[in-house]
Amino acid sequence: MSGYPSNTESIAADQLLSIVERIERLQEEIDDLNVGKADIYREARGNGFDVKVLRKVIAIRRQDHAERMEQEAILDLYLTALGSHVRARGDDE
Amino acid sequence: MSGYPSNTESIAADQLLSIVERIERLQEEIDDLNVGKADIYREARGNGFDVKVLRKVIAIRRQDHAERMEQEAILDLYLTALGSHVRARGDDE
Amino acid sequence: MSGYPSNTESIAADQLLSIVERIERLQEEIDDLNVGKADIYREARGNGFDVKVLRKVIAIRRQDHAERMEQEAILDLYLTALGSHVRARGDDE
Amino acid sequence: MSGYPSNTESIAADQLLSIVERIERLQEEIDDLNVGKADIYREARGNGFDVKVLRKVIAIRRQDHAERMEQEAILDLYLTALGSHVRARGDDE
DNA sequence: TCGCCTGATAGTTGCC
DNA sequence: GGCAACTATCAGGCGA
């Protein structure tokens, strides 16, 4: 009934604004970094590199960095799923 | 055909490594920032905000206004065309 | 000033309807197939399989079927990009 | 410890293979249908339609359809609870 | 420049 | 009710 915003409302509004602005700030930084990536790729092309291949190389390395080891772990699980959990591994991540 | 890498090859290899590492560094920062975004959304949910709505708000703010209006106009047009084949407009042909 | 749709409008509307309905038909089939997949996974779980592992196995096989060979091709490109296109390949699936 | 697979193991392996192959068959069909969708969108663009808006239209119709389905399901539920589920459903859309 | 293609991001659904 | 996987959408780069 009040013509003035309640405390809870204004607090919520403050929080909302804070959330939105923080997200937008992060997104802005992300956009900048993506521009940086684009610049590097442009420069690379200027130096005669095949950008498509570069992207592929980076994608493969990205995979290798977090998934190859994972695929080994999956192999474990696979074998386990088949009933033979005989693998002894000492190393982890 | 030399069995040794030529100078141009090794220079290219250096450049390649440089490119790849710079890209990867930027990507790493992007990933971190995206983690930051996820954290904020999680926190927001914890404070009772509807994340889906938050995303919508941010998307709308991000979108260019004129473009948005135009798309809504087109959307109207299509929906109208599907709902009523009998469009009453004054001009045509 | 006509109260009737022009020919061009009704033609566009017909095309629009056709497009939308064809898409929707395809999407319906896709949804059915996805339900089928969900059923199989549910059944598999009921038989003691770890669904997460199953998904991973299938993903790996999917990769292997179209990407392992591709990664070899990429290696070719990679080496070529470095100036040494000396690869001789004799094997192929 | 047998060097041969136990019966349970081989049965599990059979089941596993069956599951994987059935999923892969379904996925293959899904992929084909998605290619079909892409074709239609391409054709639509060629005829001057705005693909982004088309997607929006279809999404809205899909939503409407889902809501109507849910309402009908609830109606079914109520009628069933009353003992008279005399609904003849053949109609959709 | 336009259309295609791939990689990134957002939204949805199903499980725990 | 949170979380993780999957799907669909979107954006940017590349080639014709």
Side-chain angles (χ1 to χ4, degrees):
Chain A
M1 280 279 207
S2 166
Y4 300 95
S6 68
N7 283 339
T8 51
E9 272 173 0
S10 60
I11 288 173
D14 285 349
Q15 281 184 327
L16 177 59
L17 189 61
S18 167
I19 289 162
V20 167
E21 287 179 343
R22 282 192 287 159
I23 292 285
E24 284 174 346
R25 177 76 186 99
L26 291 177
Q27 190 57 53
E28 200 176 327
E29 293 184 50
I30 288 171
D31 292 342
D32 289 346
L33 291 167
N34 275 319
V35 170
K37 287 196 339 189
D39 287 344
I40 293 173
Y41 279 123
R42 179 180 346 273
E43 174 194 337
R45 162 171 302 150
N47 287 335
F49 287 95
D50 182 326
V51 172
K52 183 173 181 176
V53 175
L54 286 177
R55 289 185 190 279
K56 206 70 188 178
V57 168
I58 287 162
I60 289 170
R61 281 168 62 102
R62 190 177 169 89
Q63 215 183 43
D64 288 354
H65 185 263
E67 194 160 346
R68 192 169 220 157
M69 189 166 32
E70 184 190 7
Q71 286 193 193
E72 295 245 336
I74 288 301
L75 179 57
D76 265 1
L77 289 170
Y78 193 0
L79 294 173
T80 302
L82 288 176
S84 58
H85 43 106
V86 284
R87 267 171 67 86
R89 293 183 56 207
D91 58 328
D92 239 327
E93 226 179 1
Chain B
M1 289 203 198
S2 168
Y4 299 95
S6 69
N7 282 339
T8 52
E9 272 174 2
S10 61
I11 288 172
D14 285 349
Q15 281 184 328
L16 176 61
L17 189 60
S18 167
I19 290 161
V20 167
E21 287 179 344
R22 280 193 289 158
I23 292 285
E24 283 173 345
R25 177 79 186 98
L26 291 176
Q27 189 58 52
E28 199 175 329
E29 293 184 51
I30 289 171
D31 292 342
D32 289 346
L33 292 168
N34 274 319
V35 170
K37 289 201 323 190
D39 287 345
I40 293 174
Y41 279 123
R42 174 176 357 268
E43 175 195 335
R45 171 179 293 146
N47 287 335
F49 287 95
D50 184 326
V51 171
K52 184 174 177 175
V53 174
L54 285 177
R55 288 186 191 278
K56 209 79 184 172
V57 168
I58 289 162
I60 288 171
R61 280 165 63 100
R62 184 165 201 197
Q63 198 177 23
D64 182 62
H65 280 263
E67 185 180 340
R68 186 165 98 252
M69 296 304 291
E70 184 187 3
Q71 281 206 339
E72 285 187 3
I74 294 174
L75 179 58
D76 266 359
L77 196 65
Y78 283 10
L79 289 174
T80 303
L82 286 175
S84 61
H85 284 242
V86 193
R87 301 234 329 148
R89 299 230 359 239
D91 57 335
D92 213 334
E93 259 191 329
Chain C
M1 275 293 196
S2 167
Y4 299 95
S6 71
N7 284 338
T8 51
E9 273 175 1
S10 61
I11 288 173
D14 285 349
Q15 280 184 328
L16 177 58
L17 188 61
S18 167
I19 290 161
V20 167
E21 287 180 343
R22 281 193 287 159
I23 292 285
E24 284 174 345
R25 176 77 186 100
L26 291 176
Q27 190 58 53
E28 198 175 329
E29 293 184 49
I30 288 171
D31 291 342
D32 289 346
L33 291 168
N34 275 318
V35 169
K37 286 201 327 190
D39 287 345
I40 292 173
Y41 279 123
R42 181 183 339 276
E43 173 194 337
R45 169 174 298 135
N47 287 334
F49 287 96
D50 183 326
V51 171
K52 183 174 179 176
V53 174
L54 287 177
R55 289 185 190 280
K56 207 69 189 177
V57 168
I58 288 162
I60 290 171
R61 281 167 61 103
R62 189 175 170 91
Q63 215 183 45
D64 289 352
H65 185 262
E67 193 161 343
R68 192 171 222 155
M69 191 165 31
E70 183 192 6
Q71 285 192 193
E72 294 246 337
I74 288 300
L75 179 57
D76 266 359
L77 289 170
Y78 192 0
L79 293 174
T80 301
L82 288 176
S84 59
H85 45 104
V86 285
R87 260 170 73 81
R89 293 182 54 210
D91 63 328
D92 239 327
E93 207 176 14
Chain D
M1 292 207 197
S2 167
Y4 299 95
S6 69
N7 282 340
T8 53
E9 273 174 0
S10 60
I11 288 172
D14 284 350
Q15 282 184 328
L16 177 59
L17 189 61
S18 168
I19 290 161
V20 167
E21 288 179 344
R22 281 192 288 161
I23 292 286
E24 284 173 346
R25 178 75 185 100
L26 291 176
Q27 190 58 52
E28 198 175 328
E29 295 183 50
I30 289 171
D31 292 342
D32 289 346
L33 291 168
N34 275 318
V35 170
K37 287 200 331 190
D39 288 344
I40 293 173
Y41 279 122
R42 172 174 12 265
E43 174 193 336
R45 167 178 296 152
N47 287 335
F49 287 95
D50 183 325
V51 171
K52 186 174 178 176
V53 176
L54 283 178
R55 289 184 191 279
K56 207 82 184 170
V57 168
I58 288 162
I60 289 171
R61 283 165 62 101
R62 188 177 170 90
Q63 182 65 31
D64 290 349
H65 184 258
E67 282 171 9
R68 236 178 312 128
M69 288 283 91
E70 188 185 3
Q71 284 191 344
E72 288 191 0
I74 291 172
L75 179 57
D76 265 358
L77 197 64
Y78 284 5
L79 291 175
T80 301
L82 290 175
S84 60
H85 61 112
V86 283
R87 269 168 66 79
R89 309 232 339 256
D91 59 325
D92 241 318
E93 247 186 356

